[in-house]
Structures are given as C-alpha cells and as structure tokens.
Amino acid sequence: MKFVIVTGMSGAGKSTALKMMGYFCVDNLPIALLPKFAELAHAPGSDISQVAVGVDIRNGRSLDEMASVLENLKASGVAYQILYLEASDEVLVKRYKETRRAHPLAKQGRVEDGIRLEREKLLYLKENATYILDTSQLLTRELKKALEQILVEEKNFKNLMITVLSFGFKYGI
C-alpha cells in the first residue's frame, strides 16, 4: 500500500498533482481524520492500493498537530511519503494575480505577506518531506513526468537543475 501526503505552498500545484497521480485522492482532509483514513485504507480486504491525501494551509491551527499525527501513523505501521510542492515567491504571486484568487492567509492584505506566513507554518512538513519538487519552472506536462518519476517508477529523484549559457562575439567587441 502506498500512502502519499501531498502538501506544499498554495498555488504550487497540489490540486493539479493530485489529479495527475492516478491514486485514490482526498484533497484538504482535516488532519484529525488522517489516522482514521489511513486505518480504513489499510484495512484487510480494502481494494485501495494507492492513496494520496492533500494537506495544506487551509487546515489552519490543526497544522500544529501534524507532528504527533505523523508519529502516530508511523507507530501504527503506516508507511507514508510526503511530497512537498514548492515554488518561488515571484511565481506564486504571478499565479495568484493571473487567477485573481486571494491567498488563504492574506485575507485583505498583500499576497506576499500570506506567502511568507504560509512558509513559516509549513516549515515542519518541508523539513520532513520525502520529496521536494519545485514547480516554479515546470509546465503541467513536466509536472506529470516528474510525478511519474517520483511515485510511479520509483526512481531516485534529486531536485537539481543545471543551466549552461554560452555566448560570444562573432566580430569582436
């Protein structure tokens, strides 16, 4: 049984990733229900072999309980993986402006303030993530390919990007 917790920054592509994974997915499950859901998914006779759960900042104060919930999952024998989706602040602001949505933590304030506060609240999940995927420069099809490499084919995934830029002056300066 594969049990994946998909989390990360709002606007980084969690909902898109959940749709592409091909797993039995539950988005925005309250954290208090996570152990019971894992128990039901792992129950003998269950037809579910791959589960993905979306957890994000919309859980509010429940995020503080995440450390104890993860410890309880591990103690009960649930082998889980955490996929953390990340994006740069500039890209997140651009995505919010394009969709004209409000950031969940920036009620009437600036999107940048909401992003900063969200990074602080999700720090524990990022530090304990099995995989961290930066979606700043990824197209949807590239995100799907990266998810396949991580979750389907179980390749050893390293988040490394190398850019080589070369130029010259054909006729001198």
Side-chain angles (χ1 to χ4, degrees):
M1 167 95 181
K2 282 191 99 162
F3 193 85
V4 180
I5 299 170
V6 180
T7 187
M9 297 298 296
S10 298
K14 291 183 305 297
S15 297
T16 304
L18 286 170
K19 290 175 190 173
M20 292 180 178
M21 290 173 67
Y23 284 26
F24 181 85
C25 298
V26 178
D27 194 7
N28 199 23
L29 183 72
I31 292 173
L33 296 177
L34 198 58
K36 187 65 175 172
F37 180 73
E39 178 186 325
L40 291 171
H42 280 84
S46 175
D47 293 342
I48 302 171
S49 63
Q50 297 174 323
V51 176
V53 178
V55 174
D56 58 27
I57 200 69
R58 294 175 289 178
N59 275 287
R61 293 187 182 143
S62 299
L63 278 173
D64 300 334
E65 303 168 12
M66 195 62 179
S68 63
V69 168
L70 291 177
E71 287 177 22
N72 291 342
L73 283 176
K74 191 177 285 187
S76 64
V78 176
Y80 63 87
Q81 297 175 329
I82 299 176
L83 171 62
Y84 187 92
L85 297 179
E86 174 71 271
S88 67
D89 288 355
E90 296 80 24
V91 170
L92 291 174
V93 169
K94 180 182 172 199
R95 289 177 183 171
Y96 271 101
K97 286 182 179 178
E98 287 174 352
T99 60
R100 295 185 178 173
R101 284 181 32 223
H103 190 279
L105 297 180
K107 305 287 186 214
Q108 300 298 326
R110 299 177 48 141
V111 174
E112 293 88 351
D113 297 336
I115 291 171
R116 181 187 45 76
L117 185 58
E118 184 178 17
R119 285 194 193 281
E120 293 171 11
K121 290 184 178 274
L122 293 177
L123 185 61
Y124 174 79
L125 287 170
K126 185 175 183 180
E127 289 173 346
N128 292 289
T130 311
Y131 305 105
I132 298 175
L133 182 59
D134 190 344
T135 63
S136 298
Q137 303 299 321
L138 294 181
L139 300 173
T140 306
R141 66 177 179 268
E142 294 169 334
L143 174 61
K144 184 173 184 172
K145 186 173 182 177
L147 288 172
E148 287 173 357
Q149 288 176 340
I150 293 171
L151 301 172
V152 177
E153 298 173 10
E154 295 182 359
K155 290 184 178 176
N156 195 6
F157 185 77
K158 302 282 189 235
N159 196 4
L160 174 68
M161 183 187 312
I162 298 175
T163 303
V164 178
L165 178 65
S166 176
F167 69 96
F169 295 101
K170 188 174 182 179
Y171 300 105
I173 298 175

